[in-house]
């Protein structure tokens, strides 16, 4: 029996420092270092306000997730809560949607990594770089959870130090006058704070939300955290504050150094700005940092996807084979299946080298919004059940239940905005078909289990 437990239970090998940096690493990647160029072009300096609003909404949703995870630190995170307190299909939908979301995130971050390599080696096709990084990161995750935690910890440390250093260095350039003739705080308003009006701002807001995808990793780590009741609340509160500082602080400095109209869509503005300041050493260092950032997010994605599939298997919402753990505590079958799915990103970059990143980011936003909607609703169900049991969670969601309703209204607004964006609205149009596809998959999975376990059909 002990042997069976060893093969099907995850090991608690993640310390508090790992968990905080894992969540930070999952949310600071292509959205900040590359995707920000798109939002700057869409709305100018008002992108700063967009990140403030989006960050606060993300914080409220993470508090809702944190309330549940701190009370029940189990594998599968929000999928577990949707399954237990809502319905089996809600758990199935939540888990598989999140898995697909991080498959797409993985493809997007690998694509970004390939573009960063092109800064140094422009003749190497993006798909070649994607393939190399894909193999390397998956090999790291096959070792054990502690190795993953350490790798992600140092990946994230590099990003954090780089962003803080960049903010300090940029502030020095502004204060000393060494930033060039175009550098001035007045760049934030001289060409218009809302240069494309409210419409441009709202369009950018939809893309801004991509940047906060990955914060849910706080919940995914719960089953492998050494002391989840302490580390989960602490990480939930601190990570969002830090991300807001990094995003808003770096944008204030960068948009002061360089007029927003000269930020080239498709390039990293962080690298571009220092490159045009004739500081090539800094530009090269920053390109190495943003490459690390993209690989860090993919590293987090490999981890979270394997654990989500593991959690789905434990719930009965995925094949039992996906719950198999090797002797190092890694859900190896789940990891390999996720790797096979992500490898399609190599093909996407081969077929659509110029459109791959924008298309993948649009698809991610839609699956992310659906995921966050599921978290908000699952938290309402969770709190109602706990109230009925006479249990009061010790780490409470912010402004419950009104905070949940505010978040739900905001997320629905994001979907409507995307629907009116011709270049990316296909992601919202496909959403009903995606949910219907998962419903069919859920019904088929239950039909197969019904003869073996009659209670499955009764629970549906």
């Amino acid at each position: 029996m002990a042997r069976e437990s060893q093969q099907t239970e995850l090991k608690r090998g993640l310390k508090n420092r790992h968990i905080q940096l894992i969540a930070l690493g999952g949310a600071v990647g292509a959205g900040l270092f590359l995707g920000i160029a798109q939002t700057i072009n869409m709305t100018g300096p008002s992108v700063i306000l967009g990140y403030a609003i989006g960050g606060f909404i993300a914080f409220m949703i993470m508090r809702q997730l944190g309330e549940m995870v701190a009370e029940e630190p189990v594998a599968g995170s929000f999928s577990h809560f949707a399954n237990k307190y809502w319905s089996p299909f809600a758990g199935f939908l939540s888990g598989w949607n999140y898995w697909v979301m991080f498959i797409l995130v993985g493809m997007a971050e690998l694509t970004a990594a390939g573009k960063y390599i092109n800064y140094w080696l422009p003749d190497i096709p993006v798909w070649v770089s994607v393939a190399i990084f894909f193999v390397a990161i998956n090999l790291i995750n096959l070792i054990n959870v502690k190795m993953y935690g350490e790798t992600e910890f140092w990946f994230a440390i590099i990003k954090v130090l780089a962003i803080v250093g960049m903010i300090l260095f940029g502030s020095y350039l502004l204060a000393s006058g060494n930033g060039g003739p175009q550098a001035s705080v007045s760049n934030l308003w001289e060409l218009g704070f809302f240069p494309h009006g409210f419409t441009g701002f709202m369009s950018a807001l939809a893309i801004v939300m991509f940047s906060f995808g990955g914060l849910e990793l706080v919940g995914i780590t719960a089953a492998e955290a050494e002391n989840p009741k302490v580390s989960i609340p602490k990480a939930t509160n601190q990570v969002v504050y830090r991300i807001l500082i990094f995003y808003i602080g770096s944008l204030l400095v960068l948009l002061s150094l360089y007029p927003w109209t000269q930020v080239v869509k498709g390039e990293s503005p962080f690298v571009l700005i220092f490159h045009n300041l004739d500081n090539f050493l800094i530009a090269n260092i920053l390109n190495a940092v943003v490459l690390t950032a993209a690989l860090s997010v993919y590293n987090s994605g490999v981890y979270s996807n394997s654990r989500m599939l593991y959690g789905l298997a434990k719930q009965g919402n995925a094949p039992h084979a996906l719950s198999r753990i090797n002797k190092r505590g890694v859900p190896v079958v789940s990891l390999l299946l996720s790797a096979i799915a992500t490898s399609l990103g190599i093909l996407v970059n081969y077929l659509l080298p110029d459109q791959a990143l924008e298309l993948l980011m649009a698809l991610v936003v839609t699956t992310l919004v659906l995921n966050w909607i599921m978290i908000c609703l699952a938290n309402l169900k969770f709190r109602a059940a706990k109230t009925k049991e006479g249990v009061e969670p010790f780490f409470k969601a912010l402004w419950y239940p009104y905070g949940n309703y505010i978040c739900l209204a905001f997320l629905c607004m994001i979907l409507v905005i995307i629907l009116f964006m011709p270049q990316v609205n296909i992601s919202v149009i496909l959403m009903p078909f995606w949910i219907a596809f998962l419903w069919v998959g859920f019904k088929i999975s239950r039909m197969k289990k019904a003869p073996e376990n009659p209670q499955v059909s009764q629970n549906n």
Side-chain angles (χ1 to χ4, degrees), residues 1 30 35 40 60 71 86 163 171 192 194 208 254 259 315 406 427:
M1 193 72 176
I40 290 173
M60 287 203 291
E71 206 68 28
W86 190 351
I163 295 171
S171 299
F194 290 95
V208 159
L254 292 171
Q315 296 165 20
I406 291 171
S427 59

Side-chain angles (χ1 to χ4, degrees), residues 295-329:
L295 296 178
S296 165
V297 177
Y298 178 55
N299 191 36
S300 293
V302 171
Y303 167 81
S304 69
N305 265 345
S306 59
R307 272 57 179 183
M308 180 55 76
L309 285 184
Y310 169 85
L312 285 167
K314 298 290 279 187
Q315 296 165 20
N317 281 327
H320 179 69
L322 293 172
S323 66
R324 189 175 300 163
I325 303 292
N326 67 13
K327 62 183 180 181
R328 295 183 298 275

Side-chain angles (χ1 to χ4, degrees), residues 51-85:
Y51 276 97
I53 294 171
F56 182 69
I57 294 295
F59 174 62
M60 287 203 291
I61 295 171
M62 290 312 102
R63 282 292 296 259
Q64 293 160 23
L65 175 60
E67 174 183 284
M68 298 186 289
V69 172
E71 206 68 28
E72 296 180 24
V74 296
S77 187
F78 37 85
S79 174
H80 161 81
F81 300 108
N83 184 73
K84 181 177 179 180
Y85 295 101

Side-chain angles (χ1 to χ4, degrees), residues 158-173:
I158 291 171
K159 287 190 289 189
V160 170
L161 292 177
I163 295 171
V164 170
M166 184 179 59
I167 291 172
L168 293 176
F169 180 69
S171 299
Y172 160 74
L173 289 177

Side-chain angles (χ1 to χ4, degrees), residues 26 50 56 79 88 93 111 164 195 206 229 241-242 268 273 276 278 318 320 329 339 364 375 377 403 428 431 439 443:
F56 182 69
S79 174
L93 169 62
T111 301
V164 170
K229 289 189 178 294
Y241 298 144
R242 291 173 183 174
S268 170
I273 287 169
N276 282 277
D278 293 328
H320 179 69
V364 168
I375 291 175
L377 293 172
V428 175
M431 183 182 282
W439 172 256
K443 284 300 181 182

